[in-house]
């Protein structure tokens, strides 16, 4: 018998990093196996972290004890709060990062982490004892044993890169594909399918005529992702530059569509609809004469510019041709051409909420292998898979976040109940609890959960909970304190441009008025500590309380049904009124509650009625 | 023991009571197998779907019970979506009961209330509106009601809701995109476009909501109360309207002491005409109770016809007399009032013109000069009622006919109105989206596209056995 670990994490991307850190921090002897140690936590595509719904998840990971937020804060070279003109629930933070600094920071953390070893190598096979995973076999035939394995191989499983009609095996430029693993999974009976994704060209910054582009600057105010970060920028902030495709660009692309692997049927994998290649955009939105693109520096010291929104798999000579029709790129020098990657993923309905696979025990999957797209989606799953693998080994309860607690909960519930046919990206619209899943209240939602997990040091949690308690205390005082319609009070209210009071009101009622701020309340004698961490969130909570109440009512109405448990061994085949397709899907997904059953695509409302009647008839449910 | 839903069910599907023939419906996976026990024809022949087989119905000792027709529908091609056999037998209660007993002995069970339609819904043969329309069709007592139900069964109303669902989904998708794709530089839908589109949905829902009133009147009939002082000719009018000597007519004031109700059909619509005791101060105990009841009837009516006597108006001061009568009519906002000036044949044309002028000031929806002595008055009065009470042009459009559909449509309407207000006040798109999602869900509930336990119970408990 060779060396042995508690947990082996296969793959050092954003999912792998969180998985092995979580496990090591929970005290388990953890090994990270990666094909390229240099490329740990590498940003293979866009050089940014966060965005709408994604930024929410980064904050959630942070409060629970993950690493992504810290690295993003410390490598941030442009910060933006998206949708800042809209309501607070749909504001999202995005940091453009220096991708080398980001990766270096993560590597440093991994190397310093107790209980964690890193080895460079390619995993060819899992060691299976019947349906129990007991370790991995490396390329050189060496065996490493473990109590559990988490696979986070991203786009590397049977990865094929497409440059026009030319194909090269690989998961990313400069990195080999990992072959063998997905064949073993498929042999074991897993449903393994293909997805594709693409990346744009990287340009040399000195070959760009910047005068023909428009600079776009970030925000002046920094809202760091991590609760431990400073409130000031760590690095100098840079601009991005805006340009756009022209009719000429579109002409060239149209004339060369037969050389695009997407369009002549070479790529079978389904691509992300919301992050389409430029070929896709031009074909699908044929009436549009121009598409915008951001030229984003990949870092402070690098010469590489990322061309956001122009991902392509056209041949190199065609890329050269059409890029030069974009204002500013007339003489552009391409350092690395855009390409598409096709890769294997495992239909995620085959995993439990704890991210352990149903067919193979002690095997966990996280990240793109589950059909998602994006660093943040990967990191979130990596964290959950790492914690659950550790919990399983330690004999602790499984770690599952509810849909009303976190975007991470929505992400995983969607994946394991609905499955996915295209790369899954998180959106705010996927969360029915959107108004309560805000960036500003991440602490309130998750700090108690975090304390239970025990990864974040207690002194940090104490600080977080102090903020939480202060918010609660302030909310209480606002809803207890009364303002009386005295003439001097009403004078002040009118001066400020609001309507005078007719009867005594609570301070919270007054604050609900859009034009009233905390600043004004202080003039009326309301005392509070000037701490934005406390004030911002409380003000939102008060101002939008009507909507939040309405949303909670809507949710409460469905809660009984949502939470109604379905016995785990239920034989769907005996339930009358289910189609064979529905029986298949339900048997595969094995929903735990009627709510989950309802979300499974292809399961009709009448099927739920049938299940309900069956459960009631056999007295297996009480609702 | 099989699950309830897997069992084969049977029931008499024709009206209860004695008829020339009766139809017994058998539905479920064992329909044919069960029926084969009782028929040599079914046992020995190759049975095809949608074919009728003439056969003796034999009991288990091969004694003949009846001569029947078996109609076979294979699984997927029947009303319920299950294997079904309809047995047309003779309508004797004894025969039908014997056949049912035998079917049950052979393994079928009696169908629950509404179970056939329920199964049709469960097997995806009907949406919820269509399921409800089956009930409407069964219960329809007139041509208009049947037509409304049939149009629902055809999916006409469902289509109207489907269209709104699809338009609403478009709006919601665009709002969500405007939130989630802020980074992509995608052109976001203009608020004006959105507002216009939502207003169109709102308009369609409004029409559907309004159609409920007509739908209800079509289904239940229009309740018309005849109210007025004694001896103005209410009972004569009743007899004219229902074309029958239903009420006793005498020249003595106070002849009608109780409420008399009778129905009549006019142009496919059902009218329930209620004659009431004349309203007056009286010492007569029985008459007092009658007058009380009259007022209560008036309160339940869709239309109150206030009947006044043209001859007495001419002699007295007409305006006051009308006012006094109106005062006695119970106040209710949604009730329509028609002033019927009776006995127009007994006054001159000049007097009639004068009376109409006076009546023009009365607080009623319309005024009609009439006479129970003239045959064509019936059509004139019923036409006037029809015109006043609702818009029956809806017959050609989508009509919703159950309180359940109305409730959901109204909620959906309210939610869209709220979302429009949010749009107008430039509130966040996520709030607009919240209301629109609620609206969408309630429209989907109407069609049964989302699961709702209470709705299901409500829909199916209204069904009668065997339908």
């Amino acid at each position: 018998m060779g060396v042995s670990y508690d947990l082996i994490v296969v793959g050092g991307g954003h999912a792998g990093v969180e998985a092995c850190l979580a496990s090591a921090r929970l005290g388990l002897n953890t090994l990270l196996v990666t094909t390229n140690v240099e490329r740990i936590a590498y940003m293979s595509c866009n050089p940014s972290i966060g965005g709408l719904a994604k930024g929410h998840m980064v904050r959630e990971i942070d409060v629970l004890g993950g690493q992504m937020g810290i690295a993003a804060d410390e490598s941030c070279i442009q910060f933006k709060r998206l949708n800042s003109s809209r309501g607070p629930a749909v504001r999202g933070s995005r940091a453009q990062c220096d991708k080398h600094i980001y990766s270096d920071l993560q590597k440093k953390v991994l190397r310093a982490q107790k209980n964690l070893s890193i080895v460079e190598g390619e995993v060819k096979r899992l060691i299976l004892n019947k349906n129990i995973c007991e370790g991995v076999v490396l390329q050189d035939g060496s065996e490493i044993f473990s109590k559990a394995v988490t696979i986070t191989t991203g786009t590397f499983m049977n990865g094929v890169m497409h440059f026009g009609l030319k194909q090269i095996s690989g998961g990313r430029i400069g990195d080999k594909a990992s072959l063998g693993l997905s064949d073993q999974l498929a042999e074991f009976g897993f449903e393994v399918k293909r997805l594709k994704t693409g990346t744009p060209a990287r340009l040399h910054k000195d070959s760009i005529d910047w005068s023909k582009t428009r600079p776009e600057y970030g925000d002046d105010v920094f809202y760091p992702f991590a609760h431990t970060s400073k409130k000031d920028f760590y690095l100098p902030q840079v601009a991005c530059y805006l340009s756009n495709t022209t009719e000429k660009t579109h002409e060239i692309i149209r004339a060369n569509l037969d050389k695009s692997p997407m369009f002549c049927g070479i790529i079978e994998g389904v691509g992300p609809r919301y992050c389409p290649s430029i070929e896709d955009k031009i074909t699908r939105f044929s009436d549009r004469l121009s598409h915008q693109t951001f030229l984003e520096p990949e870092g402070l010291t690098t010469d590489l510019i990322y061309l956001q929104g122009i991902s392509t798999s056209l041949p190199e000579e065609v890329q050269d041709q059409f890029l030069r029709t974009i204002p500013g790129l007339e003489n552009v020098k391409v350092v690395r051409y855009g390409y598409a990657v096709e890769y294997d993923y495992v239909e995620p309905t085959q995993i439990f909420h704890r991210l352990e696979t149903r067919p193979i025990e002690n095997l966990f999957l996280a990240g793109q292998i589950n059909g998602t797209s994006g660093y943040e989606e990967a990191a979130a799953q990596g964290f959950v898979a790492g914690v659950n693998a550790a919990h399983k080994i330690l004999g602790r309860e499984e770690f599952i976040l509810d849909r009303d607690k976190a975007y991470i909960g929505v992400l995983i519930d969607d994946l394991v109940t609905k499955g996915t046919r295209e790369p899954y990206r998180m959106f705010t619209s996927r969360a029915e609890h959107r108004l309560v899943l805000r960036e500003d209240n991440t602490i309130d939602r998750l700090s108690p959960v975090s304390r239970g997990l025990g990864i974040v040091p207690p002194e940090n949690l104490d600080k977080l909970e102090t903020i939480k308690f202060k918010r609660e205390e302030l909310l209480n005082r606002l809803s207890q304190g009364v303002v009386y319609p005295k003439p001097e009070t009403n004078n002040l209210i009118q001066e400020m441009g609001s309507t005078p009071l007719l009867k005594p009101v609570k301070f919270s009622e007054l604050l609900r008025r859009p034009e009233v701020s905390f600043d004004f309340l202080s003039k009326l004698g309301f005392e509070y500590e000037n701490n934005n961490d406390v004030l911002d969130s409380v003000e939102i909570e008060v101002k939008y309380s009507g909507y939040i109440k309405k949303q909670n009512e809507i949710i409460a109405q469905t809660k009984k049904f949502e939470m109604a448990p379905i016995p785990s061994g239920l034989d769907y085949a005996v339930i009358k009124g289910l189609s064979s397709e529905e029986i298949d899907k339900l048997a595969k997904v094995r929903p735990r509650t009627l709510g989950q059953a309802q979300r499974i695509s292809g399961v009709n409302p009448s099927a739920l009625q049938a299940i309900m009647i069956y459960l009631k008839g056999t007295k297996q449910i009480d609702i | 023991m099989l699950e309830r839903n897997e069992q084969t069910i049977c029931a008499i599907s024709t009206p209860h009571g004695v008829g020339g023939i009766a139809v017994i419906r058998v539905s479920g996976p064992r329909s044919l197998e069960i029926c084969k026990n009782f028929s040599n024809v079914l046992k020995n022949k190759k049975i095809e779907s949608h074919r009728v087989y003439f056969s003796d119905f034999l009991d288990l000792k091969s004694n003949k019970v009846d001569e029947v027709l078996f109609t076979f529908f294979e699984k997927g091609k029947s009303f319920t979506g299950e294997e079904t056999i309809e047995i047309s037998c003779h309508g004797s209660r004894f025969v039908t009961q014997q056949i049912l007993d035998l079917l049950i002995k052979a393994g079928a069970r009696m169908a629950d209330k509404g179970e056939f339609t329920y199964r049709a819904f469960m097997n995806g043969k009907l949406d919820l509106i269509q399921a409800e329309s089956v009930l409407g069709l069964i219960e329809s007592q007139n041509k208009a009601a049947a037509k409304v139900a049939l149009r629902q069964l055809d999916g006409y109303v469902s289509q109207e809701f489907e269209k709104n669902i699809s338009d609403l989904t478009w709006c919601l998708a665009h709002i969500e995109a405007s939130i989630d794709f802020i980074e992509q530089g995608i052109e976001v839908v203009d608020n004006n476009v959105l507002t216009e589109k939502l207003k169109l949905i709102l308009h369609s829902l409004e029409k559907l909501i309004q159609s409920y009133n007509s739908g209800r009147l079509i289904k239940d009939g229009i309740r018309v109360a005849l109210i007025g002082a004694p001896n103005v000719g209410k009972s004569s009018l009743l007899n004219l309207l229902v074309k029958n000597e239903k009420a006793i007519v005498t020249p003595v004031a106070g002849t009608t002491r109780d409420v008399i109700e009778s129905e009549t059909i006019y142009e496919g619509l059902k009218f329930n005409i209620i004659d009431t005791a004349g309203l007056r101060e009286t010492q007569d105990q029985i008459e007092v109770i009658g007058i009380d009841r009259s007022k209560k009837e008036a309160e339940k009516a869709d239309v109150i016809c206030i009947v006044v006597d043209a001859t007495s108006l001419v002699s007295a001061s007409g305006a006051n007399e009308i006012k006094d009568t109106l005062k006695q009519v119970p106040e209710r906002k949604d009730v329509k009032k028609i002033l019927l000036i009776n006995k127009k044949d007994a006054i001159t044309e000049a007097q009639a013109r004068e009376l109409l002028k006076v009546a023009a000031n009365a607080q009623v929806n319309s005024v009609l000069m009439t006479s129970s002595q003239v045959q064509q008055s019936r059509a004139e009065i019923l036409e006037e009622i029809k015109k006043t009470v609702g818009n029956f042009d809806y017959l050609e459009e989508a009509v919703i006919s159950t309180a359940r559909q109305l409730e959901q449509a109204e909620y959906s309407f309210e939610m869209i109105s709220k979302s429009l207000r949010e749009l107008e006040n430039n509130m966040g798109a996520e709030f607009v989206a919240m209301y629109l999602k609620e609206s969408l869900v309630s429209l989907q509930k109407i069609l049964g596209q989302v699961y709702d336990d209470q709705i299901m119970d409500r829909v199916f408990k209204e069904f009668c056995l065997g339908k």
Side-chain angles (χ1 to χ4, degrees):
Chain A
M1 193 151 167
V3 258
S4 172
Y5 290 87
D6 288 327
L7 176 68
I8 297 172
V9 175
V10 184
H14 303 282
V17 166
E18 299 293 351
C20 65
L21 281 176
S23 157
R25 285 168 178 173
L26 286 169
L28 287 135
N29 194 10
T30 308
L31 174 73
L32 171 65
V33 186
T34 167
T35 50
N36 186 345
V37 173
E38 275 315 298
R39 290 267 178 101
I40 283 175
Y42 188 73
M43 295 184 174
S44 313
C45 196
N46 59 321
S48 64
I49 298 282
L52 224 55
K54 291 164 167 271
H56 290 72
M57 283 195 291
V58 179
R59 287 178 199 278
E60 290 170 0
I61 294 168
D62 178 71
V63 171
L64 295 169
Q67 199 61 31
M68 177 171 256
I70 299 171
D73 287 341
E74 295 183 18
S75 61
C76 173
I77 54 174
Q78 189 191 80
F79 179 83
K80 252 192 181 160
R81 202 161 219 208
L82 304 164
N83 265 344
S84 54
S85 63
R86 295 189 188 273
V90 293
R91 277 179 214 145
S93 307
R94 188 193 58 196
Q96 240 198 85
C97 300
D98 181 311
K99 63 196 277 184
H100 299 295
I101 296 179
Y102 182 91
S103 166
D104 288 345
L105 283 165
Q106 296 290 57
K107 275 181 260 180
K108 223 163 87 189
V109 171
L110 291 194
R111 286 199 189 103
Q113 178 63 47
K114 213 173 99 188
N115 307 325
L116 179 62
S117 319
I118 305 171
V119 66
E120 200 169 74
E122 189 194 338
V123 170
K124 294 305 281 182
R125 231 159 25 82
L126 301 170
I127 302 171
L128 296 181
N129 176 4
K130 286 190 190 130
N131 67 329
I132 297 172
C133 183
E134 296 186 334
V136 299
V137 181
L138 300 188
Q139 198 168 23
D140 60 8
S142 59
E143 293 182 327
I144 311 175
F145 288 87
S146 65
K147 293 174 184 153
V149 172
T150 298
I151 307 182
T152 61
T153 45
T155 60
F156 281 49
M157 280 203 322
N158 283 344
V160 175
M161 296 181 290
H162 295 261
F163 300 83
L165 304 180
K166 190 171 70 188
Q167 294 153 42
I168 303 169
S169 167
R172 174 174 61 205
I173 277 240
D175 285 305
K176 290 178 296 181
S178 71
L179 310 172
L181 254 186
S182 62
D183 295 339
Q184 192 188 6
L185 292 177
E187 268 167 39
F188 201 87
F190 279 90
E191 199 180 339
V192 177
K193 297 195 221 162
R194 300 288 273 173
L195 285 177
K196 82 124 226 197
T197 186
T199 194
R202 309 299 198 275
L203 316 174
H204 196 286
K205 74 168 193 234
D206 296 338
S207 68
I208 295 167
D209 181 354
W210 296 102
S211 67
K212 291 184 178 155
T213 64
R214 204 178 78 215
E216 291 266 330
Y217 298 96
D219 298 349
D220 294 332
V221 187
F222 183 40
Y223 296 94
F225 287 109
H227 63 278
T228 46
S229 293
K230 298 188 293 182
K231 298 267 163 86
D232 305 311
F233 290 115
Y234 286 79
L235 298 174
Q237 299 294 290
V238 301
C240 294
Y241 296 84
L242 186 63
S243 188
N244 53 270
T245 60
T246 59
E247 283 183 65
K248 188 83 190 134
T249 321
H250 297 196
E251 229 170 79
I252 294 171
I253 291 171
R254 259 188 224 113
N256 286 287
L257 280 180
D258 58 337
K259 301 188 185 86
S260 166
M262 282 301 289
F263 283 83
C264 42
I266 296 178
I267 293 185
E268 299 158 19
V270 185
R273 266 178 308 175
Y274 40 80
C275 186
S277 65
I278 188 69
E279 295 97 292
D280 259 342
K281 283 192 196 173
I282 284 167
T283 333
R284 269 175 29 202
F285 308 102
S286 55
D287 50 330
R288 289 195 55 177
L289 305 176
S290 175
H291 295 276
Q292 70 170 25
T293 173
F294 281 102
L295 284 67
E296 302 175 345
E298 292 207 323
L300 294 175
T301 51
T302 163
D303 293 330
L304 296 193
I305 299 296
Y306 176 89
L307 195 58
Q308 194 254 33
I310 313 285
S311 93
T312 179
S313 55
L314 283 166
E316 295 159 4
E317 61 279 10
V318 180
Q319 293 189 33
D320 268 330
Q321 243 185 322
F322 83 71
L323 287 176
R324 284 158 197 263
T325 60
I326 295 174
L329 305 187
E330 291 80 359
N331 297 304
V332 77
K333 212 182 111 212
V334 176
V335 181
R336 208 157 59 225
Y337 289 93
Y339 59 94
V341 196
E342 230 188 329
Y343 55 97
D344 281 350
Y345 79 106
V346 174
E347 179 60 66
T349 50
Q350 301 167 93
I351 54 180
F352 293 106
H353 278 82
R354 59 178 177 271
L355 300 183
E356 184 179 26
T357 71
R358 294 168 194 271
I360 299 180
E361 209 181 316
N362 295 338
L363 178 66
F364 295 76
L365 306 181
Q368 274 168 306
I369 192 172
N370 289 337
T372 59
S373 130
Y375 309 143
E376 305 79 2
E377 287 83 350
Q381 292 171 67
F383 182 82
V384 172
V387 168
N388 274 313
H391 276 198
K392 179 137 198 215
I393 294 166
L394 294 167
R396 288 191 196 156
E397 248 181 58
E398 54 183 10
F399 169 63
I400 294 168
L401 292 164
D402 287 337
R403 294 180 71 94
D404 61 354
K405 267 281 172 324
Y407 271 94
I408 300 174
V410 176
L411 168 76
I412 292 174
D413 186 60
D414 275 355
L415 287 175
V416 309
T417 58
K418 291 183 191 163
T420 187
R421 280 196 314 229
E422 62 176 327
Y424 179 104
R425 174 184 156 173
M426 184 46 77
F427 296 113
T428 69
S429 52
R430 296 197 194 266
E432 63 275 32
H433 303 265
R434 177 159 64 191
L435 298 185
V436 293
L437 297 184
R438 305 190 307 268
E439 282 198 340
D440 69 83
N441 70 356
T442 315
I443 300 173
D444 310 64
R445 290 185 275 127
L446 295 178
S447 66
V449 180
S450 184
R451 200 174 281 277
L453 272 185
I455 295 178
V456 176
E459 60 273 21
N460 289 3
L461 276 177
D462 289 345
K463 270 186 221 156
L464 286 183
E465 299 213 318
T466 310
I467 298 176
K468 182 172 176 257
F469 291 141
K470 281 184 175 168
R471 286 175 180 177
E472 284 163 5
E473 190 258 353
L474 183 60
L475 258 177
N476 267 337
R477 285 203 297 119
L478 282 167
S479 53
Q480 279 160 10
V482 179
V483 194
Y484 295 94
K486 289 182 285 197
E488 57 269 34
T489 305
N490 271 337
N491 279 343
L492 280 171
I493 290 175
Q494 272 172 298
E495 260 170 47
M496 190 259 311
S498 195
T499 45
L501 301 177
L502 298 172
K503 56 177 181 29
V505 297
K506 304 271 163 58
F507 277 105
S508 54
E509 251 170 273
L510 198 57
L511 186 59
R512 203 167 297 155
R513 298 184 178 184
E515 61 277 10
V516 174
S517 63
F518 267 112
D519 203 31
F520 180 75
L521 293 191
S522 72
K523 289 185 192 166
L524 301 181
F526 187 81
E527 286 174 15
Y528 57 89
E529 182 195 348
N530 205 351
N531 176 350
N532 285 335
D533 280 343
V534 176
L535 296 182
D536 288 352
S537 174
V538 169
E539 187 166 344
I540 290 166
E541 202 74 38
V542 170
K543 282 227 159 40
Y544 296 93
S545 57
Y547 299 104
I548 294 171
K549 200 172 143 232
K550 173 76 189 166
Q551 190 189 60
N552 287 339
E553 274 169 22
I554 294 169
I555 290 164
Q557 281 166 11
T558 56
K559 192 88 180 175
K560 196 172 77 171
F561 170 76
E562 168 72 37
M563 302 307 284
I566 297 178
S568 59
L570 184 62
D571 181 4
Y572 290 98
V574 306
I575 300 178
K576 178 71 195 302
L578 298 181
S579 69
S580 51
E581 192 203 344
E582 285 166 337
I583 294 171
D584 273 0
K585 290 209 157 148
L586 288 160
K588 210 193 283 171
V589 174
R590 301 233 137 261
R592 294 174 185 216
T593 64
L594 282 174
Q596 283 172 16
Q598 185 177 36
R599 282 190 285 279
I600 300 171
S601 60
V603 173
N604 297 308
S606 62
L608 292 164
Q609 174 77 2
I611 297 170
M612 185 77 131
I613 286 170
Y614 177 82
L615 293 178
K616 274 184 179 169
T618 51
K619 303 229 164 16
Q620 296 188 59
I621 203 164
D622 179 29
I623 141 171
Chain B
M1 180 73 187
L2 282 168
E3 272 320 301
R4 269 189 93 62
N5 276 310
E6 262 180 277
Q7 292 165 346
T8 298
I9 52 172
C10 61
I12 304 173
S13 290
T14 38
H16 290 267
V18 182
I21 63 158
V23 174
I24 293 170
R25 193 188 256 163
V26 188
S27 178
R30 294 183 56 221
S31 299
L32 184 58
E33 185 195 327
I34 288 172
C35 289
K36 276 183 177 174
N37 292 317
F38 311 110
S39 159
N40 289 327
V41 176
L42 291 188
K43 216 180 293 175
N44 300 325
K45 258 196 169 167
K46 190 180 174 297
I47 306 299
E48 289 172 59
S49 187
H50 291 73
R51 297 264 168 166
V52 180
Y53 299 90
F54 176 68
S55 167
D56 285 346
F57 196 101
L58 307 170
D59 68 14
L60 296 172
K61 290 176 193 150
S62 290
N63 298 318
K64 183 167 164 180
V65 177
D66 193 8
E67 278 179 3
V68 302
L69 295 173
F70 289 101
T71 314
F72 177 65
F73 305 90
E74 67 182 38
K75 188 180 172 192
K77 290 186 176 169
S78 69
F79 171 75
T80 57
E82 302 173 323
E83 182 179 292
T84 299
I85 289 188
E86 286 179 5
I87 307 167
S88 309
C89 59
H90 289 101
S92 134
R93 204 171 282 172
F94 176 70
V95 170
T96 53
Q97 197 52 52
Q98 235 186 324
I99 290 178
L100 278 178
D101 286 348
L102 287 166
L103 290 169
I104 290 164
K105 243 182 222 159
R109 73 162 164 82
M110 279 303 284
D112 292 336
K113 229 176 153 190
E115 200 170 0
F116 290 108
T117 310
Y118 175 74
R119 289 185 173 199
F121 173 74
M122 293 296 282
N123 291 321
K125 289 284 172 187
L126 301 171
D127 67 31
L128 265 187
I129 290 191
Q130 289 171 323
E132 285 169 318
S133 71
V134 173
L135 179 67
L137 198 56
I138 291 161
E139 291 188 337
S140 60
Q141 295 176 358
N142 57 72
K143 202 168 113 199
K147 198 167 167 186
V148 165
L150 259 180
R151 286 184 81 81
Q152 291 189 350
L153 191 57
D154 282 349
Y156 190 79
V157 183
S158 308
Q159 275 167 29
E160 189 72 26
F161 280 110
E162 290 279 13
K163 187 177 180 309
N164 284 324
I165 286 173
S166 137
D167 289 348
L168 200 53
T169 308
W170 185 93
C171 293
L172 198 52
H174 279 76
I175 289 182
E176 294 293 3
S178 81
I179 296 171
D180 276 326
F181 291 96
I182 186 92
E183 291 161 274
Q184 320 279 329
I186 285 174
E187 277 164 44
V188 168
V189 63
D190 187 66
N191 268 5
N192 292 327
V193 176
L194 210 57
T195 306
E196 276 317 300
K197 200 136 192 155
L198 287 174
K199 279 188 177 158
L200 283 178
I201 301 172
L202 213 53
H203 180 69
S204 159
L205 286 179
E206 194 176 11
K207 269 175 72 179
L208 284 163
I209 289 166
Q210 284 169 355
S211 81
Y212 174 71
N213 192 36
S214 311
R216 185 184 59 83
L217 292 174
I218 287 166
K219 204 171 120 200
D220 301 341
I222 304 166
R223 279 185 83 81
V224 183
L226 300 171
I227 294 265
N231 225 5
V232 292
K234 297 185 292 296
S235 299
S236 308
L237 279 171
L238 172 83
N239 290 344
L240 170 79
L241 292 175
V242 303
K243 296 198 278 194
N244 198 342
E245 293 298 318
K246 199 79 187 174
I248 302 163
V249 178
T250 71
V252 181
T255 303
T256 307
R257 292 178 160 209
D258 201 353
V259 173
I260 297 174
E261 181 170 348
S262 188
E263 57 178 69
T264 188
I265 305 279
Y266 169 74
E267 292 205 331
L269 282 172
K270 189 172 93 172
F271 293 77
N272 295 314
I273 315 286
I274 300 129
D275 185 18
T276 63
L279 305 171
R280 65 166 174 182
E281 297 290 331
T282 174
Q283 299 300 317
D284 186 329
Q285 282 294 322
I286 299 168
E287 203 180 339
V288 167
I289 297 171
I291 290 172
D292 222 40
R293 283 196 189 168
S294 300
K295 289 186 176 168
K296 280 198 184 117
E297 278 309 316
E299 275 171 21
K300 285 191 285 182
D302 299 306
V303 183
I304 299 176
C305 285
I306 301 123
V307 187
V308 289
D309 180 343
T311 54
S312 67
L313 294 184
V314 174
S315 54
S317 63
N320 282 340
E321 178 103 17
I322 291 174
K323 249 190 225 158
D324 285 347
T325 313
L326 281 174
K327 248 188 239 160
Q328 306 232 35
V329 177
E331 269 311 314
R332 225 187 66 210
K333 244 198 284 169
D334 54 337
V335 72
K336 302 278 193 233
K337 290 176 198 156
I338 299 175
L339 183 63
L340 282 184
I341 305 177
N342 196 18
K343 305 185 190 174
K344 75 167 180 190
D345 53 311
I347 56 172
T348 66
E349 269 186 41
Q351 284 173 322
R353 272 198 301 278
E354 198 52 39
L355 257 181
L356 272 180
K357 260 190 233 163
V358 173
N361 294 322
Q363 299 288 313
V364 292
N365 297 84
S366 69
V367 179
L368 188 68
M369 283 273 202
T370 188
S371 166
S372 52
Q373 301 310 307
V374 184
Q375 272 307 309
Q376 76 208 43
S377 297
R378 175 178 182 265
E380 283 170 12
I381 295 170
L382 293 175
E383 191 62 42
E384 189 66 31
I385 293 171
K386 189 179 147 192
K387 221 168 64 195
T388 311
V389 81
N391 182 359
F392 295 98
D393 297 340
Y394 284 120
L395 280 181
E396 298 306 322
E397 296 181 26
V399 175
I400 60 175
S401 53
T402 71
R404 181 191 75 84
Q405 295 164 10
L406 177 73
E407 260 169 45
Q408 297 290 349
E410 280 180 336
Y411 185 65
S412 185
F413 182 90
E414 185 197 333
M415 289 297 116
I416 294 179
S417 310
K418 279 197 173 158
S419 73
L420 277 167
R421 213 171 311 141
E422 299 293 325
L423 268 175
E424 217 170 276
N425 296 335
N426 267 322
M427 291 302 290
E430 70 272 35
F431 306 125
V432 179
M434 178 178 80
Y435 290 125
L436 289 186
K437 216 175 272 173
E438 270 294 275
S439 177
L440 183 63
V441 169
S442 62
L443 289 185
Q444 288 169 330
K445 278 183 184 171
I446 293 181
L447 295 184
Q449 292 175 347
V450 287
Y451 173 79
D452 186 324
D453 201 30
Q454 290 169 344
I455 286 177
M456 298 292 196
D457 284 354
R458 234 175 107 178
V459 170
F460 292 103
K461 86 170 178 235
E462 287 180 23
F463 282 88
C464 302
L465 193 75
K467 300 294 156 33

